[in-house]
């Protein structure tokens, strides 16, 4: 039962109880006075003065009785009110120290929802809130640790290079500066990526949408990465089979998505391998409740590389997650590429999936609404 109904029922019971007690007490008191008066005066020889006397006696008795009755029932009312207030504010008193703990950044505990009313709902909402706050706090701590870890290596390299340059005390040769520039570029890229990713995760990624022919966009990315594919002796084959491929997207973001996916595919292919990009019509289920299907285009990027082990596959979209040897190797990416791809695609109302067989290859599919 809701607190409002409980209160209302309690008040109704209280009013009935108080009124009936009051009336009963007054009537009994009056009857008693009347009997006593009649017994004292003797009713046979009544005069007009006796009747007037009875009247004033009864009036006095009534004033006295109702004062006593009011005090008595008032006390009962106060007692009942006190019990009611105690009952209704008890859960609040459990909540107050809990809120104070949250204010002190302690999100670790949960309240027991003991009642089925508004306080129960409040407790439940409070528990959800502290859980979310706890997760957000954990994510924040982990992010700071990850960023610090990622920054440390390039910074250390730059520092040692600078020391060498300083100790040499000579004019600086370009080839000494080159690794410094590389590390600087890496750091700048990392900071930019992190910035974009944080914006996307907060749902604040600015999107400059425009009607874009996706096949042209994919072709552009393939052209940009053509030298890299040549260098690794990887063949990139494209096939555009979609009938609808114009989508309202932010071309810069979607180029970034395909750049990240295709550069991964090329990097993880062995020489002589093939990366296949295929664009087809597709349908995407919009949410689980509404079974509405939105027309989509699907872009598959499949490689014949080493693949990703099944137990690592669920984590590849996590930020800073790197598979196998990439984890320890300083060279290569930062582990942000797939996280960014996923966030960007989802910001456009699409989704991205991955399938992989170790030894056979990996296949990423991007679905975008058209
Ligand atoms: N096509 C692929 N084939 C095999 N492994 C891949 C492929 N794409 C991504 N991975 C693995 O997933 C991890 C995460 O990828 P990504 O987020 O792009 O990070 P990175 O910056 O290391 O490229 C990489 O460390 C890589 O090992
Ligand atoms: Mg990558």
């Amino acid at each position: 039962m809701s607190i409002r109904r409980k209160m209302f029922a309690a008040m109704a019971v209280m009013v009935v109880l108080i009124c009936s007690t009051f009336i009963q007490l007054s009537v009994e008191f009056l009857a008693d006075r009347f009997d006593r008066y009649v017994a004292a005066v003797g009713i046979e020889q009544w005069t007009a003065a006796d009747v007037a006397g009875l009247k004033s006696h009864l009036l006095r008795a009534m004033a006295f009785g109702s004062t006593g009755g009011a005090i008595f029932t008032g006390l009962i009312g106060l007692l009942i009110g006190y019990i009611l207030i105690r009952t209704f504010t008890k859960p609040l008193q459990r909540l107050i120290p809990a809120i104070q703990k949250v204010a002190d950044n302690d999100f670790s505990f949960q309240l027991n929802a003991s009642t089925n009313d508004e306080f129960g709902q409040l407790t439940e909402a409070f528990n959800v809130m502290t859980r979310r706050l706890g997760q957000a706090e954990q994510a924040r701590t982990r992010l700071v640790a990850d960023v610090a870890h990622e920054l440390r290596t390039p910074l250390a390299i730059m520092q040692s290079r600078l020391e060498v340059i300083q100790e040499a005390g000579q004019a600086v040769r370009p080839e000494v500066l080159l690794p410094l520039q590389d590390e600087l570029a890496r750091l700048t890229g990392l900071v930019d990526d992190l910035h974009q990713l944080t914006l996307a995760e907060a749902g604040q990624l600015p999107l400059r949408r425009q009607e874009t022919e996706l096949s042209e966009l994919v072709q552009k990315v393939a052209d940009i990465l053509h030298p890299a594919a040549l260098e690794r002796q990887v063949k990139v084959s494209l096939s555009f089979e979609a009938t609808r491929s114009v989508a309202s997207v932010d071309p810069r973001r979607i180029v970034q998505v395909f750049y990240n996916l295709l550069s991964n595919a090329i990097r993880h292919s062995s020489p002589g391998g093939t990366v296949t990009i295929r664009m087809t019509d597709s349908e995407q289920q919009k949410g689980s409740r509404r079974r509405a299907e939105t027309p989509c285009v699907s872009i598959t990027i499949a490689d014949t590389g080493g693949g990703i082990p099944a137990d690592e596959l669920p984590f590849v979209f996590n930020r800073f997650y790197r598979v196998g040897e990439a984890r320890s190797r300083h060279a290569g990416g930062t582990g942000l590429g797939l996280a960014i791809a996923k966030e960007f695609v989802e910001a456009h109302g699409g989704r991205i999936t991955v399938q992989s067989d170790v030894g056979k290859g990996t296949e990423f599919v991007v679905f975008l609404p058209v």
Side-chain angles (χ1 to χ4, degrees):
M1 201 170 22
S2 76
I3 288 179
R4 215 185 292 169
R5 284 205 189 142
K6 273 188 205 164
M7 279 284 219
F8 194 73
M11 291 304 275
V13 170
M14 203 164 101
V15 166
V16 169
L17 206 78
I18 290 175
C19 287
S20 60
T21 316
F22 186 70
I23 291 168
Q24 198 184 351
L25 281 176
S26 304
V27 169
E28 273 175 17
F29 190 74
L30 271 184
D32 178 54
R33 283 299 145 120
F34 184 80
D35 287 347
R36 278 203 229 169
Y37 192 86
V38 168
V41 176
I43 204 155
E44 302 84 34
Q45 312 100 20
W46 272 29
T47 62
D50 289 333
V51 173
L54 173 63
K55 193 179 158 191
S56 76
H57 182 78
L58 283 184
L59 280 176
R60 245 183 293 125
M62 220 162 137
F64 186 69
S66 52
T67 312
I71 292 174
F72 181 70
T73 48
L75 284 177
I76 291 184
L78 278 178
L79 185 72
I80 296 176
Y82 176 73
I83 294 172
L84 279 180
I85 289 169
R86 258 191 74 99
T87 315
F88 290 134
T89 55
K90 212 172 160 192
L92 258 189
Q93 272 168 346
R94 282 194 306 138
L95 205 61
I96 291 167
I99 289 173
Q100 266 159 359
K101 282 200 172 184
V102 172
D104 294 338
N105 275 341
D106 179 358
F107 310 118
S108 60
F109 69 99
Q110 301 269 291
L111 288 168
N112 293 329
S114 50
T115 51
N116 211 6
D117 52 20
E118 286 92 336
F119 279 120
Q121 292 167 8
L122 189 68
T123 310
E124 193 49 45
F126 178 85
N127 286 344
V128 171
M129 184 188 80
T130 49
R131 259 200 310 274
R132 297 237 172 101
L133 281 173
Q135 285 165 354
E137 178 60 16
Q138 259 180 14
R140 193 185 65 81
T141 321
R142 218 172 28 231
L143 176 63
V144 172
D146 284 344
V147 171
H149 178 79
E150 287 299 320
L151 293 180
R152 199 168 296 132
T153 317
L155 284 176
I157 292 175
M158 288 166 69
Q159 194 177 5
S160 66
R161 294 266 161 182
L162 280 172
E163 275 165 13
V164 169
I165 292 171
Q166 226 172 14
E167 277 162 18
Q170 297 162 354
V172 185
R173 281 170 295 128
E175 59 270 29
V176 180
L177 277 182
L178 226 55
L180 273 177
Q181 255 170 347
D182 282 351
E183 290 305 324
L184 258 183
R186 224 176 93 83
L187 275 181
T188 313
L190 172 67
V191 173
D192 284 348
D193 281 355
L194 260 180
H195 180 58
Q196 300 297 322
L197 189 58
T198 314
L199 280 180
E201 281 177 346
Q204 291 169 348
L205 188 74
L207 289 181
R208 275 196 227 115
R209 286 182 190 261
Q210 57 193 68
E211 295 297 308
T212 310
E213 173 56 57
L214 291 175
S215 56
E216 284 173 16
L217 196 142
V218 171
Q219 181 70 56
K220 189 171 131 189
V221 176
D223 291 344
I224 297 172
L225 283 166
H226 184 63
L230 272 186
E231 192 189 326
R232 284 198 60 85
Q233 297 169 5
V234 173
K235 185 169 168 268
V236 177
S237 95
L238 292 149
S239 83
F240 299 115
E241 299 154 21
T243 53
R244 320 156 289 212
S245 54
V246 177
S248 169
V249 297
D250 183 335
R252 222 161 42 104
R253 311 288 187 202
I254 298 300
V255 161
Q256 169 101 61
V257 169
F258 292 123
Y259 183 90
N260 291 359
L261 293 177
L262 188 55
S263 59
N264 278 352
I266 294 171
R267 178 165 356 128
H268 293 282
S269 290
S270 29
T274 310
V275 175
T276 318
I277 303 177
R278 204 173 62 246
M279 196 158 138
T280 55
D281 293 329
S282 170
E283 311 255 279
Q284 169 178 253
Q285 238 159 46
K286 234 192 172 182
S288 50
R289 248 175 286 149
R290 270 186 303 148
R291 294 253 151 217
E293 310 252 304
T294 26
C296 272
V297 65
S298 79
I299 301 110
T300 306
I301 295 156
D303 64 55
T304 51
I308 302 168
D311 57 336
E312 308 231 33
L313 206 53
F315 308 110
V316 290
F317 293 109
N318 291 359
R319 59 162 113 85
F320 294 119
Y321 194 84
R322 276 166 291 192
V323 176
E325 61 173 62
R327 212 174 287 147
S328 47
R329 205 175 44 191
H330 172 56
T334 52
L336 289 177
L338 288 179
I340 287 175
K342 179 167 184 280
E343 290 294 335
F344 281 14
V345 167
E346 286 176 359
H348 283 84
R351 77 199 158 89
I352 183 167
T353 62
V354 60
Q355 268 186 331
S356 190
D357 272 324
V358 174
K360 283 194 186 149
T362 308
E363 184 181 285
F364 285 91
V365 187
V366 174
F367 296 89
L368 284 172
V370 285

